[in-house]
Amino acid sequence: MSSSSHAPAAPIPISSPPSSSLHRNTSTSRGPRRQSTSTGTSSGGLGRRPSRVVHPPMVPKILSHDEAVEALRSFLRERSSYDVFPVSFRLIVLDTTLKVKKALEVMLLYNVVSAPLWNTAEAKFAGMFTVQDVIHLIQYYYHTSSWEGAAADVEQIRLFRIREVEKTLSVPPPPLLSVHPLRPLYDACRFLIRTHARRLPLIDKDTQTNGEVVISVLTQYRVLKFIATNCRDITQYLTSTLQDLGIGTYVSPEHDSNSENQFYPIATATMQTAVFDVVHMFSERGISAVPIVDDNGKVLDLYETVDVITLVRNGAYQALDLTIAQALKQRTADFPGVVTCSPKSSLSAVFSLIRMRRVHRLVVVAGPEDSQPGRLVGIISLSDIMRSLMGNDVPLGGSGIGAVPIDRELREEAAETGHEPFTLGQSVE
Ligand code: AMP
């Protein structure tokens, strides 16, 4: 299949800084939100922050890149996670006794790729169900069952058994992370970076019942969109290039071009690669997207973990035998396309892009001046952008999204200081 048959996925280069006609949201900070009804808990006893109107920060002078970063950090210190959410939003919470197949149907119906879990018997937050869980489930069935058996089992397996799957695969279970929604957004962002988590559930306490209340889930995308929308006067000064800032993962220049993966350390696939092999890369490398390249290394498309969900939504696990080219044909029409940028793009241009459209990663390609324009050069995830804003001094836990060492490390730190900064519990059993 040629790349031209994937019209919606044609790479979209990032554009120059925003036009003045862009809408600018000035109502950046609002009072606390009403409790979601999903958990059926009363909102009466929730902690409240005094209602106030906070305007975007005033920027009196021209800033250097570093000053702009510092101004953004100050902005985040003065906001809480509540500020990131609109006045009204929907929260899907899944009961841990729900069958996986049902959970997938609900997620597709409401167009979400993750949801908090609720243990009704104990009236407790029980972790998150995410795309990574589905990827692990697929791996599990590959090792232990046939596709037919897998499809039948997914009909039956319930969400609380997901952690057994991780044990069988020897994958570290995700620590049960959460943050109070009134904690400074800056702290929550550092915690996101530190734990390699892509999302942080916001848990409040009902002061009347002392029970837990799931408020929402803070994601890297929401935080960056919030900054992009409200701090345009600051992000315009993020003039350093992605290359100079070292944001993202890049093809190693020293790597032997004759070796098996000429794009090392970037995991790539071709149109002929089987979907299952890409699923294996997702699971093994803890990544959520793989660029699809042609024989010359030109980027044709991007295959993402969310694509797998769409593919297996009806328990059609045989679909994993399809090639990427065949699987891409099943992509829904609303796929937003692959966004590309050059290593010389500025961080400011990336924020302009995030302000204008939904973007979860950028593929870095060689520019028109290169002998091979469009050649894969690197990949930039939202976590890379977050890390560049929050600073490289954030101590990192072990690798992988579900790294157990960070759990232990944070507990030790909390014991030493006598201050538990965030909630760390046991994952759902
Ligand atoms: P993500 O899984 O998209 O949150 O990315 C996590 C980290 O892995 C980031 O530092 C990315 O730069 C890097 N990354 C993302 N995709 C790939 C890939 N296909 N190969 C290698 N590294 C990747």
Side-chain angles (χ1 to χ4, degrees):
M1 174 172 293
S2 78
S3 61
S4 57
S5 60
H6 298 285
I12 302 160
I14 69 170
S15 59
S16 50
S19 74
S20 56
S21 62
L22 277 175
H23 173 70
R24 182 159 146 218
N25 179 5
T26 51
S27 56
T28 62
S29 181
R30 305 179 181 92
R33 313 292 175 240
R34 274 196 307 278
Q35 158 66 13
S36 151
T37 54
S38 310
T39 59
T41 314
S42 153
S43 63
L46 285 181
R48 285 282 183 261
R49 184 186 58 174
S51 188
R52 61 187 179 136
V53 176
V54 182
H55 295 285
M58 297 293 291
V59 184
K61 61 169 184 130
I62 293 172
L63 304 176
S64 68
H65 181 97
D66 289 349
E67 286 171 334
V69 169
E70 201 36 64
L72 289 178
R73 290 180 190 168
S74 302
F75 173 79
L76 295 176
R77 281 189 193 100
E78 288 166 16
R79 304 295 184 282
S80 77
S81 300
Y82 268 129
D83 293 321
V84 175
F85 294 93
V87 174
S88 167
F89 62 90
R90 185 177 55 201
L91 175 67
I92 309 296
V93 178
L94 303 172
D95 192 289
T96 49
T97 55
L98 203 64
K99 288 177 180 165
V100 167
K101 185 172 174 12
K102 203 82 196 155
L104 285 175
E105 282 170 12
V106 170
M107 285 161 75
L108 276 158
L109 185 67
Y110 290 100
N111 199 20
V112 294
V113 293
S114 70
L117 296 172
W118 185 255
N119 181 333
T120 304
E122 295 182 25
K124 271 175 73 175
F125 166 64
M128 295 287 297
F129 183 60
T130 68
V131 177
Q132 274 70 32
D133 291 319
V134 180
I135 297 292
H136 287 155
L137 207 58
I138 291 168
Q139 289 282 79
Y140 172 77
Y141 282 121
Y142 177 75
H143 290 299
T144 61
S145 177
S146 62
W147 292 142
E148 293 72 27
D153 273 4
V154 170
E155 301 274 328
Q156 297 308 324
I157 190 169
R158 293 179 192 271
L159 291 174
F160 62 79
R161 285 189 51 210
I162 288 288
R163 299 287 94 93
E164 292 170 24
V165 169
E166 284 156 357
K167 273 185 204 153
T168 310
L169 289 175
S170 303
V171 177
L176 190 64
L177 307 172
S178 66
V179 62
H180 192 283
L182 290 181
R183 295 282 310 193
L185 196 48
Y186 178 79
D187 294 356
C189 290
R190 282 176 73 93
F191 197 55
L192 270 173
I193 294 297
R194 193 170 176 187
T195 55
H196 297 271
R198 294 184 178 95
R199 49 185 66 78
L200 198 50
L202 306 175
I203 310 290
D204 203 347
K205 272 238 154 79
D206 188 313
T207 51
Q208 283 169 8
T209 64
N210 211 26
E212 288 184 338
V213 182
V214 184
I215 301 294
S216 191
V217 179
L218 187 74
T219 60
Q220 295 171 350
Y221 174 76
R222 279 186 197 263
V223 173
L224 292 173
K225 186 86 173 179
F226 179 66
I227 293 174
T229 309
N230 296 293
C231 302
R232 190 169 157 184
D233 290 348
I234 301 176
T235 57
Q236 65 173 319
Y237 295 116
L238 297 172
T239 44
S240 298
T241 66
L242 300 170
Q243 188 173 41
D244 290 346
L245 293 166
I247 298 179
T249 303
Y250 291 87
V251 176
S252 167
E254 284 99 46
H255 199 64
D256 177 4
S257 56
N258 295 322
S259 80
E260 208 176 306
N261 181 7
Q262 55 172 313
F263 304 105
Y264 177 87
I266 299 183
T268 61
T270 68
M271 286 292 181
Q272 284 69 47
T273 308
V275 170
F276 183 78
D277 291 335
V278 176
V279 168
H280 188 68
M281 291 178 204
F282 290 153
S283 178
E284 198 180 36
R285 306 275 304 265
I287 51 176
S288 50
V290 163
I292 310 301
V293 292
D294 70 9
D295 292 343
N296 299 317
K298 193 169 174 186
V299 177
L300 302 177
D301 215 314
L302 192 69
Y303 200 71
E304 305 176 10
T305 44
V306 286
D307 288 316
V308 181
I309 302 285
T310 321
L311 207 59
V312 301
R313 64 181 177 275
N314 294 321
Y317 283 79
Q318 301 89 325
L320 298 168
D321 288 335
L322 297 178
T323 62
I324 292 291
Q326 291 166 326
L328 288 175
K329 281 187 188 160
Q330 299 194 19
R331 224 176 213 171
T332 52
D334 60 359
F335 177 69
V338 182
V339 182
T340 61
C341 65
S342 132
K344 300 209 169 69
S345 302
S346 67
L347 187 54
S348 159
V350 172
F351 271 100
S352 299
L353 182 82
I354 293 173
R355 181 162 48 244
M356 288 184 279
R357 51 177 294 167
R358 200 172 175 85
V359 52
H360 283 97
R361 57 191 58 78
L362 297 121
V363 181
V364 189
V365 295
E369 72 291 346
D370 192 273
S371 56
Q372 289 177 278
R375 183 177 48 85
L376 176 66
V377 171
I379 186 160
I380 298 176
S381 299
L382 298 186
S383 55
D384 298 319
I385 300 170
M386 282 276 281
R387 196 169 306 127
S388 87
L389 286 188
M390 303 314 297
N392 289 328
D393 63 314
V394 182
L396 293 176
S399 62
I401 40 167
V404 168
I406 187 74
D407 203 355
R408 199 181 312 126
E409 198 184 294
L410 289 170
R411 280 177 191 290
E412 283 167 9
E413 199 174 286
E416 269 171 33
T417 58
H419 172 56
E420 185 114 10
F422 295 91
T423 309
L424 293 159
Q426 290 304 314
S427 298
V428 54
E429 292 292 343

